[in-house]
Amino acid sequence: VQLVQSGAEVKKPGASVKVSCKASGYTFTTKYLHWVRQAPGQGLEWMGILNPSDGSITYARRFQGRVALTRDTSTSTVYMELSSLTSEDSAVYYCLVVSYAWGQGTLVTVSS
Amino acid sequence: EIVLTQSPGTLSLSPGERATLSCRASQSVSSSYLAWHQQKPGQAPRLLIYGASSRATGIPDRFSGSGSGTDFTLTIRRLEPEDFAVYYCQQYGTSTNTFGQGTKVEIK
């Protein structure tokens, strides 16, 4: 099982970022996929979860309205888009399939 | 939202010793949907345990998870040098998941 994420991003305040997570080694539609972030020197923060089978989604309350998870079942890929970025969104963003594996992480830096 | 409280914050032990990490939930965790993750500096987290007690693929059997309801434990039977790291618990039994704040296992 592998979760491979897209590369590092540098964004300006107010912009949006879209990070991808491509799954392989298992049947994509059978496992929920989570997004988690970690700010520098901080713990893990859960952002949301997507069911690849039917596309249903739950977001953490603090990200409601600012985050969007989508999927492409033809490529076994899940996308996380975060909008209205501020410096506090500078973090490493991970995808996770509990019972399998973590992605390698994507560093997002928000700076003017 | 279920709050997970991990204790202790830091555990100072020597290689070969046994480590016992606690994760307490503010409400019962449904169907033991509790996972443990290990993270070393500069690395992505690694899944150790899911379903409260099932080891993930490739995880040595010195790692074991136990517990149900609101009290869960991660035990490392004999600490190896590579086990010194930060450990997080995660509950995924509700629509809104949460993580504990982490326990750092450091070399004494």
Side-chain angles (χ1 to χ4, degrees):
Chain A
V1 173
Q2 265 199 311
L3 301 174
V4 179
Q5 299 183 221
S6 48
E9 302 264 12
V10 179
K11 295 292 182 182
K12 293 197 180 306
S16 297
V17 67
K18 193 170 186 177
V19 180
S20 67
C21 173
K22 181 175 176 57
S24 62
Y26 70 99
T27 303
F28 177 66
T29 54
T30 62
K31 296 292 183 182
Y32 288 70
L33 193 139
H34 304 246
W35 284 90
V36 177
R37 77 176 187 181
Q38 186 172 39
Q42 302 301 307
L44 302 173
E45 182 176 29
W46 186 80
M47 299 180 68
I49 185 171
L50 180 143
N51 179 351
S53 177
D54 62 9
S56 59
I57 297 163
T58 301
Y59 300 120
R61 192 170 302 170
R62 67 167 290 180
F63 296 104
Q64 287 268 5
R66 209 161 66 87
V67 68
L69 302 184
T70 56
R71 79 200 193 287
D72 181 344
T73 55
S74 69
T75 61
S76 300
T77 302
V78 176
Y79 300 90
M80 185 284 298
E81 184 168 20
L82 188 63
S83 59
S84 303
L85 294 169
T86 72
S87 59
E88 294 187 351
D89 294 314
S90 293
V92 178
Y93 290 77
Y94 297 101
C95 55
L96 162 67
V97 174
V98 180
S99 78
Y100 282 163
W102 288 76
Q104 84 276 18
T106 298
L107 176 63
V108 174
T109 303
V110 183
S111 173
S112 55
Chain B
E1 177 178 293
I2 295 179
V3 176
L4 299 179
T5 302
Q6 293 187 240
S7 61
T10 302
L11 199 50
S12 299
L13 295 167
S14 300
E17 290 193 291
R18 180 187 188 95
T20 302
L21 287 66
S22 172
C23 177
R24 181 160 291 176
S26 59
Q27 305 167 45
S28 183
V29 176
S30 171
S31 301
S32 295
Y33 286 146
L34 193 286
W36 289 93
H37 308 277
Q38 176 195 65
Q39 188 176 36
K40 299 177 184 178
Q43 296 185 18
R46 178 172 73 143
L47 173 69
L48 297 176
I49 301 285
Y50 64 94
S53 60
S54 297
R55 270 188 301 277
T57 302
I59 301 304
D61 61 6
R62 65 179 181 273
F63 291 93
S64 64
S66 62
S68 63
T70 60
D71 287 293
F72 298 87
T73 300
L74 174 70
T75 301
I76 310 171
R77 193 173 62 241
R78 285 176 56 88
L79 282 164
E80 298 287 341
E82 61 268 28
D83 299 336
F84 292 92
V86 179
Y87 293 82
Y88 295 94
C89 58
Q90 175 199 7
Q91 70 79 19
Y92 54 103
T94 63
S95 58
T96 303
N97 290 196
T98 46
F99 285 92
Q101 82 280 15
T103 290
K104 181 179 182 180
V105 178
E106 64 176 23
I107 300 176
K108 187 175 182 179

